[in-house]
Amino acid sequence: MKTEVIHFSYQVFNSAAELPAAYNMLLEKAKAATAHAYAPYSRFAVGAAALLENGEVITATNQENASSPVGICAERVLLSAISSVYPGARIHTIAISYHNQKSQVSRQPVFPCGICRQSLLEQQTRQNSPIQLVLGGLEGEVVVINNAANLLPFGFSGKDME
Ligand code: THU
């Protein structure tokens, strides 16, 4: 028997103002996108913005439904849109922010849900390069993760079926 340890490092910035300018700009786009979320049920508006390697920036939001399982997280709306509009494009960085319309508090990062982590892993495997994540509320600390797969240890991918 042996014990293995998984660890990864990530960066925590005290505020968006401390971020490298390109990350701050992308996070600003994610924040602005929250205004376009369709979240009448949770009133938790999520915005995501991707910087592609071709320089394009594309944004997306969560889209809810009266039948709750039909709703889609901002991250998966984003990945689907990118695949459809820029097929084959590699994603460099994704920024994610949110506006909690109930509490009006948005001071710490939220992290992608489990299904979105799996979808991010699929995209990384597909493009064969890591996707960086920039995660922050409308204010407060911002977390930067340099490989989305770090959020899904033991993740299952197509490579497992080869
Ligand atoms: N949501 C996202 O869009 N992304 C996440 O990573 C977490 C949750 C959405 C789904 C739902 O519309 C609302 O936030 C509350 O769960």
Side-chain angles (χ1 to χ4, degrees), residues 2 4 8 11 14 23 25 31 81 93 98 110 116 129 148 156:
K2 58 180 178 174
E4 305 278 4
F8 73 95
Q11 285 79 50
N14 284 327
Y23 288 173
M25 267 166 44
K31 290 177 186 178
T93 306
Y98 67 97
V110 292
C116 290
S129 63
F156 179 72

Side-chain angles (χ1 to χ4, degrees), residues 38-39 42 44 46 61-64 72-75 111-113 116:
Y38 177 63
S42 71
F44 192 80
V46 182
T61 58
N62 54 331
Q63 298 295 314
E64 296 186 350
I72 316 177
C73 293
E75 294 89 330
F111 295 80
C113 79
C116 290

Side-chain angles (χ1 to χ4, degrees), residues 117 120-121 124 131 133 145-155:
R117 293 177 195 206
L120 287 162
L121 182 64
Q124 280 203 180
I131 298 171
L133 300 176
I145 293 169
N146 59 21
N147 185 333
N150 287 339
L151 290 179
L152 195 64
F154 299 110

